[in-house]
Amino acid sequence: MVGRENSNLPPGFRFHPTDEELIMFYLRNQALSKPCPVSIIPEVDIYKFDPWQLPEKTEFGENEWYFFTPRDRKYPNGVRPNRAAVSGYWKATGTDKAIYSGSKYVGVKKALVFYKGRPPKGIKTDWIMHEYRLNESRSQPTKKIGSMRLDDWVLCRIYKKKSPGRPLEQREENVNSQNIPSEDHDNVMELQSMKIPRTFSLAHLWELESLGPISHILGDHNTDYDNNGRIETGATMGMMTQPSTMFLGTGLRESQPIKFEENQQHNLNQSSFYNPMIGFQ
């Protein structure tokens, strides 16, 4: 939000003071009732408002807003400040930062985060406050009895932190990677399955029946076909018939069930199967 323009400010004026400048030229002057270099920081009790209401309370500010505000005690006899607001509370985070002017210790900077609700179950928001106070504020004489005022003035800078997010290109890349069709993966697996070893068991041959005639799979150059589709292995150990049907445009034959004949001359009088791919019993 861009605040209403101050007619006393020159064109192009931007307010980006350092921590030292905020303490030495603004907060100290405010505490001593002296005029500030530029009168653009209003006096607002920020704890009577929620942080998203505060930008409307100042005439100057774009992404951050500055306020002079008093601090009250949380307990009558304590020194802890009251951080409660309208619909939430401010909670300190991190460690206090000492501010120096040259080698002289002049103030303290404290970071706070706004939580909606009541402690300890508040919901963290993106609203941040940097609170500046003078070093000598804690050494001031004790306030009059019954007063809840802890500090007459502290200086607060309030802004809303941008929510972290991934770049649009990275989000689109992740979405596209999740939507890749599974056909490519299936094709890769199919090509890998075509890398068939030269050694097979009979169970493997039946599983590979849908890939075509066994001779095409093995590429056995010792096996010949006759005109009737009969396989001749060059051995007289057995015979295997393989009727086949050609697929148009593929050069592959549709395989049919394979039948083996029993060898009646086996010494143990047991049936045996002949594997035309291996060439021995």
Side-chain angles (χ1 to χ4, degrees):
M1 171 183 175
V2 179
R4 295 182 296 274
E5 295 185 1
N6 192 321
S7 58
N8 297 326
L9 299 177
F13 176 82
R14 298 293 183 271
F15 190 62
H16 297 297
T18 64
D19 293 343
E20 179 186 355
E21 292 170 345
L22 287 174
I23 291 288
M24 297 301 296
F25 299 104
Y26 291 91
L27 182 56
R28 174 171 287 184
N29 288 7
Q30 178 73 11
L32 297 175
S33 299
K34 293 183 179 181
C36 296
V38 181
S39 298
I40 60 175
I41 303 179
E43 300 175 0
V44 178
D45 190 346
I46 64 172
Y47 295 101
K48 293 182 179 180
F49 303 93
D50 288 323
W52 49 87
Q53 297 175 322
L54 293 174
E56 301 176 355
K57 306 301 178 182
T58 180
E59 296 182 354
F60 187 87
E62 296 181 3
N63 297 321
E64 56 185 14
W65 302 269
Y66 294 83
F67 303 93
F68 290 121
T69 185
R71 291 200 312 172
D72 292 334
R73 304 173 188 269
K74 187 173 184 179
Y75 305 106
N77 297 326
V79 294
R80 292 182 59 184
N82 184 9
R83 301 291 188 183
V86 177
S87 62
Y89 59 97
W90 292 94
K91 182 178 178 180
T93 180
T95 58
D96 294 352
K97 176 184 176 182
I99 301 174
Y100 291 86
S101 179
S103 59
K104 184 179 179 181
Y105 175 44
V106 294
V108 179
K109 175 183 177 182
K110 179 186 289 290
L112 303 99
V113 181
F114 186 78
Y115 286 75
K116 286 184 178 180
R118 298 301 173 189
K121 298 182 179 180
I123 301 175
K124 187 177 181 180
T125 70
D126 294 330
W127 288 94
I128 308 296
M129 175 169 65
H130 292 164
E131 179 187 83
Y132 299 84
R133 72 172 186 269
L134 296 173
N135 179 41
E136 58 266 22
S137 63
R138 292 298 178 88
S139 60
Q140 292 178 355
T142 305
K143 305 296 181 181
K144 60 181 181 180
I145 299 175
S147 173
M148 294 295 291
R149 184 57 51 88
L150 180 62
D151 294 298
D152 288 333
W153 299 111
V154 294
L155 195 158
C156 297
R157 177 173 63 189
I158 295 177
Y159 66 94
K160 187 175 182 181
K161 180 178 63 176
K162 294 182 179 180
S163 300
R166 293 176 299 175
L168 179 60
E169 295 80 3
Q170 182 178 358
R171 292 198 298 267
E172 291 179 350
E173 181 180 356
N174 293 340
V175 171
N176 293 334
S177 62
Q178 295 176 358
N179 294 333
I180 294 177
S182 60
E183 296 179 358
D184 295 340
H185 177 71
D186 295 339
N187 293 337
V188 172
M189 296 300 295
E190 182 177 356
L191 291 176
Q192 292 178 352
S193 66
M194 294 298 292
K195 298 179 180 180
I196 305 170
R198 296 287 298 180
T199 305
F200 296 90
S201 65
L202 186 59
H204 290 158
L205 296 178
W206 287 110
E207 293 176 358
L208 297 173
E209 179 184 359
S210 61
L211 296 178
I214 298 175
S215 61
H216 284 276
I217 299 173
L218 297 177
D220 192 349
H221 300 288
N222 296 327
T223 303
D224 298 326
Y225 291 88
D226 60 10
N227 294 331
N228 296 327
R230 185 182 301 274
I231 299 177
E232 298 179 357
T233 62
T236 59
M237 293 178 293
M239 180 176 296
M240 178 177 68
T241 59
Q242 179 69 24
S244 60
T245 304
M246 292 292 294
F247 288 105
L248 295 177
T250 61
L252 299 177
R253 295 176 180 271
E254 180 183 5
S255 60
Q256 301 296 333
I258 302 173
K259 298 181 180 180
F260 294 90
E261 295 181 359
E262 296 183 357
N263 186 359
Q264 302 296 334
Q265 298 178 357
H266 197 281
N267 294 332
L268 298 179
N269 196 22
Q270 295 180 352
S271 61
S272 61
F273 295 91
Y274 296 94
N275 193 332
M277 285 87 51
I278 302 176
F280 58 88
Q281 186 175 357

